[in-house]
Amino acid sequence: MAREHGGGSPKPHHYIEAKRKRLTYIFMIECTYNASPEVSKLGTSSPSTGVANLDFESHHQLEMNDTDDAAVKEFPPCDMSLSEYTPCQDPRRGRKFDRYMLKYRERHCPSKDELMQCLIPPPPKYKTPFKWPQSRDYAWYDNIPHKELSIEKAIQNWIQVEGDRFRFPGGGTMFPRGADAYIDDINNLIPLTNGKIRTAIDTGCGVASWGAYLLKRDIISMSFAPRDTHEAQVQFALERGVPAMIGIMASQRLPYPARAFDMAHCSRCLIPWNKYDGLYLMEVDRVLRPGGYWILSGPPIRWKKYWRGWERTQEDLKQEQNSIENVAKKLCWNKVIEQGDLSIWQKPMNHIECIKSKKTYPTPHICKSDNTDAAWYKDMESCIAPLPEVSSSDEVAGGALEKWPERAHAVPPRISSNTVPGISAEKYREDNDLWKDRVAYYKKIVPPLPQGRYRNLMDMNAYLGGFAAAMVKYPVWVMNVVPANSNPDTLGVVYERGFIGVYHDWCEAFSSYPRTYDLIHAAGVFSIYQDRCDITYILLEMDRLLRPEGTVIFRDTVEVLVKIQAITKRMKWKSHIADHESGPFNPEKILVAVKTYWTGGAQQSS
C-alpha cells in the first residue's frame, strides 16, 4: 500500500497511520460542508473547480504543543531591522563562536527564550518578483535594496543597477565572457548535455549565475554561500528563481547525503582546499557520485598567468596547487584535464583500485563508519567515505543511474538494491502514481500551480520526491526537505532521481533568507513535529520563508489542520480546507493557505 503522507518521519509509519484510522466515518459526517462563493486574489478557491471548502472549526478541537498565550490577536510585524533576518545564521549571534575553521559562520540557532512571535516584514515597496525565465536576468531593487555587490563586483559583471531593477549579466570572477560561455568551455571538456550529468553543487556560489545558466541544459545545481561574505548573494540567487541556500564549508558536513551530485564546482570560491589535510576535498568526495567530476577555476589554477593580480607569490600558489593535486591522488581521483582557467578531476567508479593504492597512500584511510549519509550537525571526518562494494572494477558503486529525464521516474538504485528499509520497487511506483493523482487534484484547488505563477517550491517532507517528480513538466524547481533523523532516510533516493534537497529539523529555522519561496508543500509535517516542538514557530518560519501572496498546501488530519488554520489566521493568511483527492470519507484533508500582501511600511494586509 502506498504511503499516505509525503515524507519519511522520525515516528514509525504505523504510528501516524493508526492515528488517522482512529478518525471514523462518524467523525467525517459531523463536518459541515460549506461551498465558498468567493474567489481569492490568486484563484486558490473557485466554485468552477467543483471542490468544496470545508468548515470543521466548530466541531473539532485538538490540544497540540503550541504557545501558552495563544490569544486570538494577530501576530505583530517585527521591527524593520529584521526584514532580512536569518535566525540560524544571524551574524550578531555568530560572532560569539569560534573563528577557527569559520565555525562562527555555521548554523547557530536562537535558544527557546530568543524566539520571536512576530512577522518578518517585507521592504516598504516590495513587488512580486519577475516570472521565470525573465527573473534569471532581472530583480526589483526594492525587494533587495543592496547596491554593495554592484559596486564591489562591478568589473566582474555579477550584478548591475538599472533604474528600479537589478540586472544579472551572467558574469563572474572567473568567467568575464559570461556564465554561458564559461559553461560551454566546460562542455568542451566533459559532456554536459547528454543527460549523464543532472545534479551539481556550486560551493561559494555568489549570485548563482553558474547554476542559473546550467538550468537550460537540464542540470540543476545546489548553490550555496555563507551569510554576509558579500551582502545578500544567496538572497539574490533565490530572487532570480535559482536554487540556493545559505551554507559554508567549515567544520561540519554539508547537509546532503553521500553520492548525491554528478558534478561539483568551485570558481574562486575562496575555500582553502589545501588546508586541514585536505578535509574539504574529502567532503566533496563524500557528496560526489562515483564517476562524478570536480571542477576548479581560480586560485591556484593558472597561477603563472594570474599571480600578480591575486596578490600572492608564485611559490605560495605553486605550493597550494601541488597540495591539491596530492590530496586528489590520495582520494584516488583522476586528473581529467587542465586547460585554460579550468582544472577537472573525476572520482573513481568504485574503490577497488583505491583500496589497493592505500599501500602507497595510507592516508587518508577509508572511513570505518558505514553511515556516509549522516549529515545533520555531524563533523567532517578526515577519511574517505566508503563506497558500496562491487564485484568488478568496471561496476559503478551503488548502481548506475539512468540518463535524465528517464532518471526522474526510473527505480533508483538505492531502492532496487533494497538498501532503503521498507521501500520496494513496487511501493516506489505506487508512490509515483499517487503523486500524479495528487498534483492533478492540486491543479483544481490551486489553479495558478501550472500557470507559471510559482517558481521556487519547497516540499517540507519530501519522502521519495514524488511531488517534485509530478511537477517536473512545469517551470518550477523543488527544494526537497527530508526531516533529520527520518527512518527510513530517503534523501539519497531523491538525488538518485535527479532532484535536489537537504536534511533539516523543522524545530529550527531553515537556511534561507525571508521571502524566498513561492509555494510550500507540507504533507504530514505537523503530525511528525506536534510532540517535538511548538508548531506556532514552525508556522512563523513558513511565513518568513514565503513570499507575499505565496501559497502553502498542507496535508494532515482534520484535527491538525483546524489548529493550523487558527494560527495562520493570526498571521494574516487566508485559507480554506478542501477534501482529500480520494473523496470526503478520507480522514486526511487539505488546507490551502495564501499569505496576504503587506509591507513593513504600510503594515496593512490587503
Side-chain angles (χ1 to χ4, degrees):
M1 182 176 175
R3 191 167 182 138
E4 273 298 313
H5 59 85
S9 76
K11 289 187 176 179
H13 174 58
H14 60 78
Y15 175 93
I16 294 172
E17 289 302 309
K19 187 166 185 176
R20 286 179 177 154
K21 288 176 181 176
R22 286 199 294 271
L23 300 172
T24 63
Y25 289 151
I26 296 173
F27 175 84
M28 300 308 305
I29 293 169
E30 289 178 357
C31 304
T32 302
Y33 287 69
N34 176 32
S36 170
E38 298 179 354
V39 179
S40 76
K41 186 175 181 182
L42 292 181
T44 55
S45 174
S46 170
S48 64
T49 66
V51 179
N53 295 339
L54 310 179
D55 177 15
F56 299 93
E57 196 162 359
S58 61
H59 300 277
H60 305 289
Q61 299 297 328
L62 176 67
E63 292 298 323
M64 293 182 71
N65 186 358
D66 63 345
T67 49
D68 295 330
D69 62 336
V72 180
K73 63 182 181 181
E74 286 188 348
F75 293 105
C78 304
D79 189 85
M80 269 306 296
S81 64
L82 296 170
S83 179
E84 295 178 358
Y85 182 49
T86 53
C88 296
Q89 280 94 3
D90 184 352
R92 293 167 297 181
R93 183 178 298 106
R95 292 188 198 106
K96 302 174 185 176
F97 293 87
D98 194 349
R99 299 185 75 85
Y100 176 69
M101 292 184 75
L102 300 180
K103 291 181 180 182
Y104 73 105
R105 282 192 175 160
E106 293 181 321
R107 286 177 58 86
H108 302 291
C109 297
S111 61
K112 190 173 181 179
D113 59 0
E114 292 178 289
L115 297 175
M116 300 182 298
Q117 286 203 23
C118 57
L119 305 176
I120 302 298
K125 298 179 182 178
Y126 181 88
K127 301 179 182 70
T128 299
F130 290 93
K131 283 187 178 181
W132 183 266
Q134 193 180 13
S135 65
R136 187 195 70 179
D137 301 326
Y138 292 98
W140 296 114
Y141 174 81
D142 287 330
N143 290 7
I144 312 177
H146 294 289
K147 293 185 178 179
E148 295 90 338
L149 277 176
S150 65
I151 298 168
E152 184 178 344
K153 298 291 182 181
I155 62 171
Q156 295 163 13
N157 245 3
W158 279 27
I159 183 171
Q160 297 172 354
V161 179
E162 295 183 351
D164 61 354
R165 65 191 67 184
F166 291 109
R167 187 169 75 87
F168 302 92
T173 308
M174 291 308 300
F175 30 96
R177 294 180 295 123
D180 227 11
Y182 175 79
I183 292 169
D184 284 341
D185 290 343
I186 296 173
N187 188 49
N188 290 332
L189 304 177
I190 58 173
L192 296 182
T193 55
N194 64 1
K196 284 190 175 181
I197 294 176
R198 163 63 181 173
T199 55
I201 184 169
D202 191 13
T203 55
C205 65
V207 295
S209 287
W210 188 71
Y213 283 85
L214 278 174
L215 286 166
K216 71 179 186 180
R217 295 163 172 87
D218 278 335
I219 296 173
I220 187 165
S221 177
M222 176 68 82
S223 300
F224 72 85
R227 173 77 155 91
D228 284 342
T229 299
H230 299 301
E231 192 68 53
Q233 52 190 332
V234 167
Q235 190 177 13
F236 276 118
L238 287 157
E239 188 75 6
R240 299 174 71 182
V242 179
M245 63 182 290
I246 301 172
I248 189 169
M249 296 195 79
S251 68
Q252 295 174 343
R253 282 182 172 179
L254 300 173
Y256 318 118
R259 312 193 314 276
F261 299 100
D262 299 309
M263 175 170 61
H265 173 256
C266 163
S267 174
R268 201 170 187 181
C269 62
L270 305 181
I271 294 172
W273 300 112
N274 59 319
K275 290 188 177 179
Y276 315 117
D277 297 320
L279 184 67
Y280 297 144
L281 283 176
M282 294 175 213
E283 177 62 1
V284 170
D285 181 80
R286 183 185 72 85
V287 300
L288 204 57
R289 196 159 282 147
Y293 297 96
W294 183 56
I295 301 166
L296 177 63
S297 64
I301 304 304
R302 215 177 181 188
W303 56 266
K304 291 179 181 177
K305 176 180 177 181
Y306 294 119
W307 67 276
R308 287 187 181 87
W310 290 338
E311 297 179 351
R312 291 173 59 184
T313 66
Q314 296 184 68
E315 293 75 15
D316 179 35
L317 287 160
K318 182 175 184 296
Q319 184 180 13
E320 182 181 345
Q321 177 151 2
N322 289 343
S323 176
I324 289 171
E325 303 272 10
N326 188 44
V327 174
K329 283 181 184 176
K330 291 182 176 182
L331 291 172
C332 308
W333 292 1
N334 174 50
K335 180 78 171 283
V336 176
I337 194 168
E338 182 172 325
Q339 182 173 304
D341 296 340
L342 292 162
S343 199
I344 302 177
W345 288 262
Q346 185 174 26
K347 179 176 175 174
M349 294 292 185
N350 56 63
H351 273 166
I352 287 182
E353 294 301 321
C354 191
I355 291 170
K356 293 178 182 176
S357 75
K358 286 299 142 192
K359 294 177 182 177
T360 307
Y361 303 110
T363 58
H365 61 276
I366 306 289
C367 301
K368 293 181 173 60
S369 169
D370 57 356
N371 189 6
T372 53
D373 289 341
W376 184 245
Y377 289 127
K378 183 172 175 59
D379 288 343
M380 292 183 192
E381 294 185 65
S382 250
C383 53
I384 301 173
L387 292 175
E389 292 185 6
V390 295
S391 55
S392 65
S393 58
D394 58 354
E395 185 180 345
V396 179
L401 297 178
E402 297 286 342
K403 291 183 178 181
W404 182 263
E406 291 76 19
R407 189 185 296 189
H409 291 96
V411 179
R414 292 184 191 229
I415 291 177
S416 59
S417 62
N418 298 314
T419 55
V420 184
I423 309 297
S424 64
E426 182 181 0
K427 282 190 175 182
Y428 169 76
R429 294 188 186 99
E430 287 176 355
D431 190 72
N432 279 341
D433 292 340
L434 191 71
W435 281 106
K436 286 177 187 175
D437 292 342
R438 287 179 171 179
V439 167
Y441 184 64
Y442 289 167
K443 286 161 60 180
K444 296 179 181 179
I445 59 176
V446 188
L449 192 63
Q451 297 171 2
R453 167 64 181 82
Y454 309 116
R455 170 62 182 169
N456 301 354
L457 275 57
M458 174 183 284
D459 192 349
M460 292 176 69
N461 191 18
Y463 191 40
L464 302 177
F467 173 68
M471 292 295 299
V472 77
K473 61 184 176 182
Y474 302 115
V476 304
W477 63 271
V478 180
M479 179 68 79
N480 293 280
V481 181
V482 170
N485 305 315
S486 288
N487 186 17
D489 174 0
T490 54
L491 190 55
V493 170
V494 171
Y495 273 96
E496 287 186 341
R497 299 187 70 171
F499 304 116
I500 58 171
V502 64
Y503 294 113
H504 185 67
D505 183 340
W506 285 112
C507 290
E508 299 179 2
F510 191 76
S511 293
S512 189
Y513 281 84
R515 302 172 299 282
T516 46
Y517 286 88
D518 298 297
L519 184 142
I520 298 175
H521 185 263
V525 173
F526 293 88
S527 288
I528 294 170
Y529 284 97
Q530 62 179 329
D531 298 327
R532 295 189 53 212
C533 53
D534 186 336
I535 68 159
T536 300
Y537 292 111
I538 300 178
L539 290 165
L540 287 168
E541 172 63 4
M542 293 169 74
D543 183 85
R544 186 185 74 88
L545 294 173
L546 203 61
R547 288 171 170 168
E549 299 182 322
T551 298
V552 181
I553 301 174
F554 297 91
R555 301 181 70 94
D556 228 306
T557 63
V558 174
E559 299 169 296
V560 173
L561 294 184
V562 167
K563 186 65 178 180
I564 289 171
Q565 192 172 40
I567 297 171
T568 58
K569 281 181 181 178
R570 299 168 57 205
M571 293 161 49
K572 310 182 186 183
W573 291 14
K574 305 297 183 184
S575 66
H576 68 269
I577 296 178
D579 264 325
H580 190 274
E581 64 272 1
S582 66
F585 296 111
N586 193 308
E588 183 178 75
K589 299 295 172 187
I590 298 169
L591 174 67
V592 178
V594 176
K595 177 178 175 178
T596 55
Y597 177 88
W598 62 276
T599 69
Q603 295 184 356
Q604 297 289 326
S605 59
S606 60

